[in-house]
């Protein structure tokens, strides 16, 4: 048989099948790429809308600066933004009461003993340190102080703050004589608004008492847990309106600015101050605590939680990051599940180091922009308010705006200036969320090291329980003679 006869010629049907397969694969690849883009847009829709709202608001404001708008016209322009602020302020009272009482009352001190005590001491210490780090940087850097503010002070505002917010009056606000009156007026009587300090103090005390009541307090705990979940849903719905409100808040702020370059420089310095504080807390303070307590290399610890930190930065939600954080701590770093399953869920809602630092810097920044000077007593009270407000913050994206309003209203600062913070809050929210998750993870390592003796004594009981549930099979030995 000749060589020509051995050559196989492909049939036309085979060529058509190959072409169809290649076309199908191309279509599948294009559909997959489109699907990935759709998933990305869906996951980051809020961030994209917020960034677009910031750009549109600033652009609209500069476009309207050439028109000499009256105060009445500016009020009409900022009306949608005013609706956003009112929606958030409406939820301050139920959020403070329900979140703080639910968070504290759900902790059973008898069950967790020393581990629980060490956990809350760690959370309290790191949150207070983060707050004072932010206060120190804001006082030293002075992000809201410029040459214009220094040369042209407004003594009227400073006197008003000094008269209303003396240290003694603030501590009196912690013990309101009437809880109903505290919902709309401070103890001083001259300043209207929610007495947040008094409500926080009462909520903490009420939550502690409720947690010690055991089964008797379960119906009331369930009530506050359900109320807290409902308020969180309302907050998440209201936050989706925030891009619309941001557009008009920023537009009105830009129109009212006398020197746009000066305000832009102040906001830039504010962003730099917050980022510097978060870096110091995340790369110096927390690793230092870990090294002092455990005597271990923190770099190896950081390597095991990189996925959790990147997820926190991407989702901007410590609650959404919780499953990834649990897996990193238990599988990568081999942490004890008794510690992780207790600390991480509690830390996702109560341990907010990044939020405490951010709120401290933001409050002093707004005070400096408005030429309001805080004395030492007011700064100490600010740190206490920031610690309590960050503890009750929701673990969802952009929920810091609500807790920021709590801090501003409790310290006598103008809440409308929060629009200055919204320009850069979309990126700072992600950075502080990553810092929150980092603080939770470091806390697990610290508490596990301090509680290693208690964990070792409890492990034999768990081993016996496992053996009772799964008894070993009898082995059959065969002797070979």
């Amino acid at each position: 048989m000749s060589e020509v006869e051995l050559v196989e010629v492909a049939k036309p049907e085979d060529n058509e099948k190959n072409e169809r397969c290649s076309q199908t694969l191309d279509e599948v690849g294009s559909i997959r790429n489109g699907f990935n883009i759709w998933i990305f847009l869906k996951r980051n829709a809020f961030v994209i809308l917020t960034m677009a709202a910031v750009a549109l608001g600033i652009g609209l404001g500069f476009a309207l600066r050439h028109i000499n708008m009256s105060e009445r016209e500016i009020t009409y322009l900022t009306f949608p933004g005013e609706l956003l602020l009112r929606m958030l302020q409406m939820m301050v009272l139920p959020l403070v009461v329900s979140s703080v009482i639910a968070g504290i009352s759900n902790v059973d001190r008898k069950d967790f003993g020393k581990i629980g005590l060490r956990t809350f001491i760690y959370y309290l210490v790191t949150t207070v340190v983060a707050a004072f780090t932010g206060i120190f940087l804001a006082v030293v850097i002075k992000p809201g102080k410029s040459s214009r503010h220094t040369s042209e002070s407004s003594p009227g505002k400073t006197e008003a703050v000094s008269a209303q917010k003396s240290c003694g009056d603030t501590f009196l606000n912690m013990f309101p004589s009437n809880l109903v009156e505290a919902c709309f007026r401070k103890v001083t009587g001259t300043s209207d608004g929610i007495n947040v300090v008094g409500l926080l103090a009462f909520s903490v005390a009420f939550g502690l008492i409720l947690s010690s009541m055991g089964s008797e307090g379960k119906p009331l705990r369930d009530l506050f847990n359900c109320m807290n979940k409902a308020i969180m849903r309302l907050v998440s719905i209201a936050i989706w309106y925030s891009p619309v409100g941001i557009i008009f808040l920023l537009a009105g702020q830009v129109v009212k600015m006398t020197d746009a370059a000066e305000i832009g420089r102040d906001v830039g310095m504010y962003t730099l101050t917050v980022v510097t504080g978060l870096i110091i807390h995340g790369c110096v303070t927390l690793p230092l605590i870990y090294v002092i307590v455990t005597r271990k290399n923190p770099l190896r610890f950081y390597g095991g939680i990189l996925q959790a930190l990147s997820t926190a930065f991407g989702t901007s939600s410590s609650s959404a990051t919780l499953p990834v954080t649990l897996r990193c701590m238990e599988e990568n770093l081999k942490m004890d599940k008794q510690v992780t399953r207790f600390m991480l869920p509690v830390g996702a809602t109560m341990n907010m180091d990044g939020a405490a630092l951010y709120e401290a810097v933001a409050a002093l920044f707004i005070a400096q922009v408005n030429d309001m000077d805080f004395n030492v007593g007011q700064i100490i009270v600010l740190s206490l308010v920031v610690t309590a407000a960050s503890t009750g913050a929701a673990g969802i994206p952009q929920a810091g705006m609500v807790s920021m309003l709590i801090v501003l209203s409790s310290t006598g600062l103008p809440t409308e200036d929060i629009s200055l913070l919204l320009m850069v809050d979309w990126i700072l929210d992600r950075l502080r969320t990553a810092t929150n998750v980092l603080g939770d993870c470091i806390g697990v390592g610290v508490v596990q090291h301090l509680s290693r003796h208690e964990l070792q004594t409890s492990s034999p009981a768990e081993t016996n329980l496992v053996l009772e549930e799964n008894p070993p099979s009898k082995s059959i030995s065969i002797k070979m003679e």
Side-chain angles (χ1 to χ4, degrees), residues 19-300:
E19 290 177 359
R20 285 199 207 106
C21 290
S22 61
Q23 290 176 358
T24 305
L25 290 174
D26 293 339
E27 291 176 359
V28 171
S30 60
I31 292 173
R32 185 177 296 173
N33 291 333
F35 187 66
N36 290 335
I37 294 173
W38 172 249
I39 291 177
F40 174 79
L41 292 176
K42 190 176 180 180
R43 287 180 178 175
N44 299 277
F46 186 79
V47 179
I48 296 172
L49 289 175
T50 303
M51 294 173 63
V54 170
L56 285 174
I58 295 175
L60 180 62
F62 278 106
L64 295 176
R65 277 177 66 88
H66 303 289
I67 306 172
N68 292 326
M69 299 181 69
S70 63
E71 289 291 331
R72 188 175 184 180
E73 292 171 339
I74 294 176
T75 303
Y76 290 150
L77 175 64
T78 58
F79 179 75
E82 184 67 23
L83 285 180
L84 172 64
L85 292 179
R86 286 177 174 269
M87 289 168 60
L88 297 177
Q89 289 171 343
M90 174 183 65
M91 291 178 238
V92 166
L93 177 61
L95 180 66
V96 168
V97 176
S98 64
S99 62
V100 174
I101 292 179
I104 294 179
S105 64
N106 285 328
V107 178
D108 193 346
R109 292 173 293 177
K110 295 180 180 178
D111 290 345
F112 297 102
K114 293 182 179 179
I115 296 178
L117 181 62
R118 289 169 184 142
T119 297
F120 287 106
I121 290 176
Y122 168 82
Y123 286 163
L124 180 63
V125 169
T126 54
T127 304
V128 171
V129 169
F132 274 104
T133 301
I135 291 172
F136 174 77
L137 290 175
V139 170
V140 172
I141 299 177
K142 297 186 188 319
K145 288 284 187 180
S146 63
S147 57
R148 175 176 59 86
H149 298 135
T150 304
S151 59
E152 300 177 6
S153 61
S154 64
K157 291 182 180 179
T158 306
E159 291 175 2
V161 173
S162 299
Q164 293 178 7
K165 301 300 296 178
S166 65
C167 187
D169 289 340
T170 305
F171 279 107
L172 280 177
N173 283 326
M174 295 178 64
F175 304 97
S177 58
N178 191 330
L179 279 178
V180 177
E181 184 184 15
C183 296
F184 57 87
R185 184 179 298 170
K186 298 180 175 65
V187 172
T188 53
T190 58
S191 59
D192 293 331
I194 301 175
N195 182 5
V196 181
V197 179
L199 292 176
L200 282 173
F202 171 79
S203 300
V204 169
F206 192 82
L208 289 173
I209 296 298
L210 201 58
S211 67
S212 63
M213 292 179 63
S215 59
E216 293 181 357
K218 188 178 184 303
L220 203 52
R221 286 198 299 269
D222 293 340
L223 171 65
F224 283 106
N225 286 332
C226 185
M227 185 188 299
N228 188 32
K229 291 179 181 178
I231 295 299
M232 294 303 180
R233 291 190 180 185
L234 280 176
V235 170
S236 61
I237 292 172
I239 281 174
W240 277 101
Y241 173 74
S242 62
V244 179
I246 287 172
I247 294 175
F248 297 98
L249 277 177
L250 290 180
Q253 194 72 35
V254 171
V255 169
K256 289 189 290 186
M257 283 191 308
T258 56
D259 191 348
E262 201 72 44
I263 294 295
R265 188 158 52 248
D266 288 347
V267 173
M269 288 300 297
Y270 156 74
T271 306
L272 180 63
T273 305
V274 175
V275 173
T276 303
L278 293 177
I279 291 175
I280 291 175
H281 189 73
C283 298
V284 178
T285 305
L286 292 177
L288 191 61
I289 293 175
Y290 182 78
V291 170
I292 291 174
V293 174
T294 65
R295 307 290 182 181
K296 295 179 182 178
N297 185 5
L299 296 179
R300 179 183 173 276

Side-chain angles (χ1 to χ4, degrees), residues 402-416:
V402 182
S403 57
M404 193 66 242
L405 285 173
I406 295 174
V407 174
L408 293 179
S409 61
S410 62
T411 51
L413 295 172
T415 56
E416 60 271 11

